[in-house]
Amino acid sequence: MAGKRKKEITVVGLFDNLLELIFPNHCRLCDSETGEPICRKCLNEFNPIFPPLCKICGNPLRDSGMEICQDCILNKPRYILCRSPFYYNGKLKEALALLKFKNKIDLFPAIFKGACEYFRENEFLFPAKYIIPVPSHRQSYAKVNNSTSQLLAQAVSQASEIPVLECLSHTRKIEPQHKLNSKQRWENVKKAFKVERSDEIKGRTILLVDDIITTGATVSECSRALSEAGVAKIHVFTFSRTAGLERKKYE
Ligand SMILES: [Zn+2]
Ligand SMILES: [Zn+2]
């Protein structure tokens, strides 16, 4: 079964590469000829997250009279705030899949363009000495480069001139979070991160970045490791978030 699946992916990959050779100017999401790797129409279909938002975790609030959500009142996060410009659905989900599963690394500036614009407009929310990407589950198995969080960190660094410091790694192997339910996600990443080069971040304010926030388990555990290593203040920026986040349920 696994062999068959691998073969299918390879054939699809070859077909994609062939299409790009024949039609170099087509949008990789809708195939229209626009001269851009991801067209403006597709980028405009990324769904922005509108206020009111919880001042801490950035989750949309139903009641505009509230400032902080129930989760954050019951369990205040270790980070100061978390913000994400878009929902993880529709065209954005397709675009991230190109980076994550089809290795279309060269598309990252186009895909993260809107996120960088949001970051520049809201940079006052994220004062930081360093941008620190969340390591991907693949990096817990082998030394691999170009995870989506590293690519996002690179894009945000170029937009803000805040340098990237890759100082988080795994204490053990972890499973891909998207294959697990909410409770399993918290268990999967519990105490799974460690900090290297802690001298450089001790007493500093840092920005943690990831491509998606779902339950918040990964961000929470990375924040725990960073706090224990002596980081003074943590801000979080994620490209996207799923709706209806059950952030603190299993912590
Ligand atoms: Zn398009
Ligand atoms: Zn909150």
Side-chain angles (χ1 to χ4, degrees):
M1 187 65 196
K4 191 182 172 211
R5 184 165 161 73
K6 195 174 177 189
K7 199 171 169 188
E8 281 167 6
I9 289 168
T10 309
V11 171
V12 170
L14 278 175
F15 183 67
D16 281 349
N17 291 340
L18 197 62
L19 269 180
E20 281 160 32
L21 278 175
I22 302 169
F23 305 109
N25 296 323
H26 81 286
C27 168
R28 305 299 188 274
L29 291 175
C30 71
D31 286 338
S32 63
E33 270 204 64
T34 61
E36 290 176 292
I38 306 283
C39 78
R40 192 168 294 270
K41 186 174 164 290
C42 285
L43 289 176
N44 285 340
E45 285 181 39
F46 290 4
N47 293 307
I49 299 173
F50 292 111
L53 307 175
C54 168
K55 276 192 166 176
I56 300 175
C57 72
N59 253 355
L61 296 168
R62 275 185 216 138
D63 178 358
S64 59
M66 287 170 71
E67 291 206 321
I68 294 172
C69 77
Q70 199 63 16
D71 281 344
C72 289
I73 291 169
L74 293 174
N75 281 298
K76 194 166 177 253
R78 290 171 194 262
Y79 54 79
I80 289 175
L81 63 80
C82 175
R83 291 292 181 274
S84 331
F86 303 110
Y87 282 110
Y88 178 66
N89 58 23
K91 286 279 187 205
L92 180 144
K93 200 170 170 179
E94 288 177 40
L96 265 188
L98 290 175
L99 287 182
K100 285 169 93 81
F101 308 118
K102 292 201 170 182
N103 210 27
K104 303 288 179 195
I105 304 299
D106 54 323
L107 295 180
F108 87 88
I111 292 170
F112 294 141
K113 194 169 167 242
C116 289
E117 282 168 9
Y118 172 94
F119 190 87
R120 269 193 295 263
E121 284 164 19
N122 296 282
E123 203 170 342
F124 63 94
L125 290 174
F126 312 99
K129 175 75 178 168
Y130 294 112
I131 295 172
I132 300 178
V134 168
S136 84
H137 76 274
R138 288 192 191 95
Q139 290 166 307
S140 72
Y141 284 82
K143 187 85 186 151
V144 292
N145 289 320
N146 295 325
S147 72
T148 37
S149 60
Q150 282 175 318
L151 295 171
L152 177 64
Q154 211 175 309
V156 173
S157 177
Q158 279 165 10
S160 64
E161 298 186 355
I162 303 169
V164 176
L165 184 72
E166 287 178 22
C167 66
L168 277 174
S169 61
H170 296 92
T171 55
R172 55 180 163 80
K173 290 177 182 175
I174 61 167
E175 298 301 315
Q177 289 283 78
H178 68 267
K179 291 188 174 171
L180 306 174
N181 67 31
S182 187
K183 187 168 190 266
Q184 290 166 334
R185 285 175 191 229
W186 284 95
E187 286 164 1
N188 187 38
V189 294
K190 192 157 191 181
K191 300 200 171 169
F193 300 96
K194 64 179 178 197
V195 174
E196 287 151 6
R197 301 162 72 181
S198 57
D199 285 351
E200 291 176 65
I201 54 170
K202 219 166 250 171
R204 302 283 193 191
T205 298
I206 65 94
L207 177 68
L208 184 64
V209 302
D210 204 358
D211 53 347
I212 313 164
I213 183 165
T214 303
T215 58
T218 304
V219 157
S220 173
E221 286 300 318
C222 287
S223 298
R224 180 209 296 270
L226 290 164
S227 294
E228 287 174 358
V231 168
K233 288 179 183 170
I234 302 164
H235 298 88
V236 184
F237 180 70
T238 74
F239 176 47
S240 60
R241 82 170 57 208
T242 48
L245 195 106
E246 290 177 338
R247 190 176 55 75
K248 286 288 172 179
K249 200 168 173 182
Y250 301 105
E251 194 176 25

